[in-house]
Amino acid sequence: MSERELYERLRDACLNGNASETERKKFSALLAKSDDFVDDYLEHAQIDATLAWYGQSEDIPPLNQVSPVTPSRTATDKWLLIGVAATLFAVVSGWIYSSVQANAAKSVAYLESAAHCQWGVCTIPTSLQTDLPAGRLRLISGVAKLRFPNVTVTLEGPVDLEILNTKACRVYSGRVIGQVDPGGEGFVVETPNAAVVDRGTKFGVAVKGNGDAQLDVIDGVVDIRHHATGQKIRAKGASSVKADGQQLQVIDQNYLQLQATEERPDKGRFEYISSSDGEGEELFLTYGDRLEGNEFPRPLHTLLVKHSESQPHWERVIVLRFDLSTLSKDQIKSAHLRLDGVATEMGYASLVPDASLEFYVLDEQFERAWDSESSKWASFPGTVSNAPIINQDHVNLIGEIVIPQSQPEGRFIMNDQRLADALRSDRDGLITIVLKRATSGAGGPSYVHGFADRTHPTATPPTLRIEMESPSNE
Amino acid sequence: MSPLQADDESLEFVGLLTEHQRHLYSFIHSLLVNKHDVDEVLQETNLVLWRESSNFELGTNFRAWACTVALNQVRAFIKRRNRHPALFDEATMVAIARRQGETVDQLDRRADALANCISKLSPRKRLFLDQRYGLGLSVDEIAEKVGLGAAGVYKMLSRIRTTLHSCVDQTLLLKD
């Protein structure tokens, strides 16, 4: 084990809190030797500190409720400070969003109150009485109230909710109560299987982990639209409707069947699954032993693919796994795979003609035989262990695209009916797709094509876009 | 030094203290790591800073002064808990504190880039973070909930940090 590897192992053990005393001493000695190690440690410790702040969300009483112990001036100041210091926990919990807010993220809602709240990892601040931009909130426990224009949405933890805009939110799981005042009519609460359009009312939405929802109209009127069937119902006070993947089920009779829209429900009904969702995985494999970084840097957050007959050791393939467990496979109408090409600055584009990229699906029996942490070319079931080629016995071709020589960056879409067929025939809820460049580069340092991975800070990760059709269309 | 007396000065001091909480937390965290220890020392540090506010001259480097106070509070904490071995020896602690002072601008840029990177984590990774940092569950408790061994949870937490670190690197690279 190199000194660097030892350092990284000890660093992770110390930050995870499971380092022995001997390991701590070793780590301390390594830090004392090198400012580079200290810098790296500080960067990782900063990440850990930031994540720890996420866990500190407190229901802070207003300052005027913090009573001084004595009326003395000093004591008052001290208690003022303590009140402020307590408030810091709420304020600081939102500090990491400063960069997001600095980009003038538009405020669309307001966190009005939060009682005994424990927040999970959110993408927007959870500071009490602050404006919120669009983003995802995960409330682990407690009750929080969001105010939109003329609409209040109360979250009862645990809730996973996304604020979409001033007139809509999406509940992934958990329970919320909506109260719409005059002027707020038309506010939409999306759930995985149905959308609730409020017409001026109070209603509750409870979404289970599998996406099934119960919609309770407490007072007033709401319209409920089922995504899969297009069925629309106008439900009135004191009624309940269940929405699963197949249908709306009215629990009582206080509703009116609305006329189905002329527009087919299929239009615009798409599922998006990226390599970062669920059990998704991604990696690229290199045939040779030499690795990027030994002689030249490798671009971060990028999946690389290359084929050069004169340089077999640099043969690279990309492997993607998508989690299909949430899909109703019998309703898949069509599908395409999106990839965002990014500049790799590796090799010369002029040494590669317009490049054909082939897409293969891995046989399902090998689905669990690889992972992004430990798989190598020799052990991956979709490649031949002792040759820089795909193992054709274990994969099936499902499509290809051409990447222009002059334009290796930008969005590429592989749209082929064989992809939809492969998704439909899936049985274990996972699919592995292997990308191989069929076009060889000329001799010399030919270009290495790259696509954004799931950690890329600006580009989209590999994503399946799946068009679903309603059962009635089949 | 001019002692703080006027209301305006007190409010300005409170403002400085508020503004620098995250830096102090990160600073103390880098020396102790354990969340409960960090919380305790941060509280002690805040009280000492307030008590010593008259010794701080407005307009000078509050952050440097506050971190010096925090380092002393870490030392006092370690001394109080002498039966519990410290994470670092004195020389290493001083080296970490010094280096933080020298790289403060870079660390601030990294902190600003971190938000967007966290938002890109997969739901599965966010679940781990919720349980570890939100609910404060132990590794063993998380392991039981997600059906992994403790080693798997440790590995996952390390992977998440590495993912975020790489994402921050790339973000800053694109900005430069």
Side-chain angles (χ1 to χ4, degrees):
Chain A
M1 186 184 286
S2 70
E3 190 176 64
R4 176 77 199 188
E5 286 169 333
L6 174 66
Y7 157 78
E8 286 177 357
R9 188 179 68 76
L10 295 174
R11 177 199 67 202
D12 288 345
C14 286
L15 288 174
N16 283 337
N18 65 328
S20 67
E21 189 172 353
T22 307
E23 287 174 323
R24 287 199 296 268
K25 281 180 179 168
K26 273 188 193 168
F27 186 58
S28 200
L30 283 170
L31 289 179
K33 279 171 66 172
S34 161
D35 269 354
D36 286 345
F37 284 163
V38 174
D39 288 350
D40 179 85
Y41 167 70
L42 284 172
E43 289 168 5
H44 280 79
Q46 181 191 54
I47 290 167
D48 202 49
T50 302
L51 295 170
W53 267 117
Y54 265 124
Q56 301 196 55
S57 177
E58 309 224 340
D59 189 18
I60 306 300
L63 278 181
N64 60 12
Q65 288 182 21
V66 180
S67 308
V69 173
T70 71
S72 77
R73 173 67 214 228
T74 307
T76 304
D77 283 348
K78 177 184 170 187
W79 283 100
L80 173 69
L81 172 78
I82 289 170
V84 170
T87 306
L88 292 172
F89 282 96
V91 171
V92 177
S93 65
W95 71 265
I96 67 156
Y97 305 104
S98 57
S99 60
V100 176
Q101 289 170 315
N103 293 334
K106 189 181 166 195
S107 167
V108 296
Y110 178 78
L111 182 53
E112 190 172 89
S113 66
H116 308 294
C117 284
Q118 276 206 302
W119 296 97
V121 176
C122 308
T123 62
I124 51 177
T126 53
S127 311
L128 191 57
Q129 296 179 348
T130 55
D131 291 329
L132 304 179
R136 191 95 169 239
L137 289 170
R138 293 162 66 89
L139 178 63
I140 296 169
S141 62
V143 176
K145 193 175 282 188
L146 303 179
R147 174 154 283 285
F148 296 80
N150 302 308
V151 177
T152 304
V153 176
T154 303
L155 286 59
E156 300 177 7
V159 178
D160 184 353
L161 175 140
E162 185 173 8
I163 297 172
L164 299 173
N165 54 49
T166 55
K167 292 183 129 331
C169 66
R170 178 179 291 129
V171 182
Y172 292 92
S173 65
R175 306 168 77 87
V176 305
I177 294 277
Q179 169 75 56
V180 175
D181 299 324
E185 297 86 351
F187 187 83
V188 178
V189 177
E190 286 276 357
T191 75
N193 297 319
V196 179
V197 184
D198 199 288
R199 300 299 175 198
T201 185
K202 187 171 185 179
F203 65 93
V205 174
V207 182
K208 294 179 185 173
N210 64 359
D212 291 355
Q214 178 160 325
L215 316 164
D216 298 297
V217 185
I218 298 164
D219 183 30
V221 178
V222 300
D223 291 345
I224 301 164
R225 183 178 179 280
H226 193 247
H227 293 321
T229 63
Q231 183 186 8
K232 288 176 85 173
I233 282 176
R234 175 157 294 176
K236 298 182 178 178
S239 63
S240 296
V241 177
K242 286 190 175 178
D244 60 22
Q246 281 67 49
Q247 61 179 350
L248 291 179
Q249 184 187 352
V250 181
I251 297 173
D252 60 40
Q253 297 304 306
N254 196 5
Y255 76 99
L256 176 67
Q257 186 79 40
L258 296 178
Q259 190 174 1
T261 54
E262 290 301 312
E263 185 183 286
R264 285 306 313 155
D266 303 340
K267 188 170 187 291
R269 197 197 156 208
F270 295 98
E271 299 281 352
Y272 294 88
I273 300 173
S274 82
S275 56
S276 66
D277 289 333
E279 297 299 309
E281 286 269 38
E282 59 188 16
L283 82 159
F284 70 91
L285 300 167
T286 307
Y287 175 64
D289 293 331
R290 291 156 69 191
L291 293 174
E292 301 80 5
N294 296 348
E295 297 146 50
F296 47 84
R298 175 170 81 76
L300 296 169
H301 316 296
T302 307
L303 299 163
L304 302 176
V305 63
K306 179 174 180 173
H307 174 54
S308 174
E309 284 165 9
S310 63
Q311 295 180 307
H313 52 275
W314 286 126
E315 184 78 18
R316 298 183 184 89
V317 298
I318 294 170
V319 186
L320 307 171
R321 177 188 284 151
F322 297 96
D323 186 334
L324 309 178
S325 57
T326 58
L327 276 184
S328 302
K329 297 179 186 67
D330 56 344
Q331 294 177 29
I332 294 171
K333 190 174 174 185
S334 65
H336 73 226
L337 174 57
R338 289 180 182 180
L339 298 166
D340 272 9
V342 294
T344 64
E345 298 179 1
M346 296 169 75
Y348 293 93
S350 58
L351 295 180
V352 188
D354 288 354
S356 172
L357 198 66
E358 295 175 341
F359 295 73
Y360 296 87
V361 64
L362 183 69
D363 286 355
E364 204 157 65
Q365 59 179 310
F366 304 111
E367 188 62 69
R368 297 279 181 184
W370 71 276
D371 66 72
S372 61
E373 289 292 302
S374 59
S375 288
K376 306 284 185 216
W377 185 284
S379 63
F380 180 65
T383 49
V384 175
S385 61
N386 56 357
I389 54 175
I390 293 283
N391 187 336
Q392 297 289 351
D393 293 337
H394 295 172
V395 298
N396 289 299
L397 185 67
I398 56 168
E400 56 189 295
I401 58 173
V402 174
I403 302 174
Q405 180 187 52
S406 58
Q407 202 176 13
E409 297 171 57
R411 177 151 296 176
F412 297 96
I413 292 179
M414 194 281 280
N415 192 351
D416 195 299
Q417 194 53 44
R418 287 173 292 180
L419 171 61
D421 293 342
L423 296 176
R424 276 191 216 100
S425 60
D426 166 71
R427 291 186 306 275
D428 67 353
L430 297 170
I431 189 168
T432 295
I433 295 173
V434 184
L435 281 67
K436 180 203 182 321
R437 196 171 85 188
T439 307
S440 174
S446 58
Y447 189 71
V448 182
H449 286 95
F451 300 96
D453 73 6
R454 61 190 176 190
T455 66
H456 197 285
T458 54
T460 305
T463 302
L464 289 170
R465 177 179 177 270
I466 303 156
E467 185 182 7
M468 310 296 285
E469 62 185 7
S470 66
S472 58
N473 279 0
E474 292 171 354
Chain B
M1 300 253 177
S2 61
L4 294 172
Q5 291 170 339
D7 285 351
D8 286 352
E9 288 183 337
S10 295
L11 286 173
E12 188 171 346
F13 185 85
V14 168
L16 283 168
L17 191 56
T18 304
E19 181 190 332
H20 286 85
Q21 283 299 293
R22 75 169 172 98
H23 306 303
L24 281 172
Y25 187 89
S26 269
F27 179 86
I28 297 165
H29 178 276
S30 70
L31 302 175
L32 294 171
V33 175
N34 180 286
K35 184 180 176 303
H36 300 296
D37 296 349
V38 176
D39 289 346
E40 186 176 331
V41 172
L42 179 63
Q43 283 183 40
E44 292 291 330
T45 301
N46 281 332
L47 288 171
V48 172
L49 290 171
W50 181 247
R51 200 171 57 227
E52 300 295 322
S53 62
S54 60
N55 294 322
F56 174 71
E57 188 173 354
L58 289 174
T60 60
N61 189 335
F62 180 88
R63 187 159 166 176
W65 176 67
C67 286
T68 303
V69 171
L71 178 59
N72 287 332
Q73 290 309 305
V74 169
R75 287 182 175 124
F77 173 81
I78 290 169
K79 200 171 175 182
R80 277 202 309 274
R81 302 244 326 244
N82 59 3
R83 277 180 298 176
H84 296 267
L87 180 56
F88 299 120
D89 57 35
E90 170 69 18
T92 308
M93 273 204 321
V94 170
I96 291 170
R98 172 185 56 80
R99 195 64 189 153
Q100 258 183 112
E102 290 168 354
T103 58
V104 72
D105 291 343
Q106 176 67 1
L107 287 169
D108 283 356
R109 289 177 71 226
R110 294 187 69 87
D112 288 341
L114 197 51
N116 194 40
C117 292
I118 290 171
S119 72
K120 286 177 170 287
L121 289 173
S122 68
R124 179 170 167 79
K125 285 178 177 163
R126 284 203 299 267
L127 176 71
F128 272 84
L129 297 186
D130 285 353
Q131 292 176 332
R132 177 66 166 169
Y133 297 99
L135 292 172
L137 298 184
S138 70
V139 166
D140 288 341
E141 287 169 323
I142 297 170
E144 192 177 334
K145 271 180 175 284
V146 300
L148 279 177
V153 176
Y154 283 127
K155 192 174 173 183
M156 177 58 92
L157 292 169
S158 299
R159 274 178 64 188
I160 293 171
R161 273 196 304 269
T162 303
T163 300
L164 291 171
H165 187 265
S166 301
C167 177
V168 169
D169 282 348
Q170 182 72 6
T171 305
L172 296 186
L173 204 65
L174 290 170
K175 282 184 179 174
D176 288 341

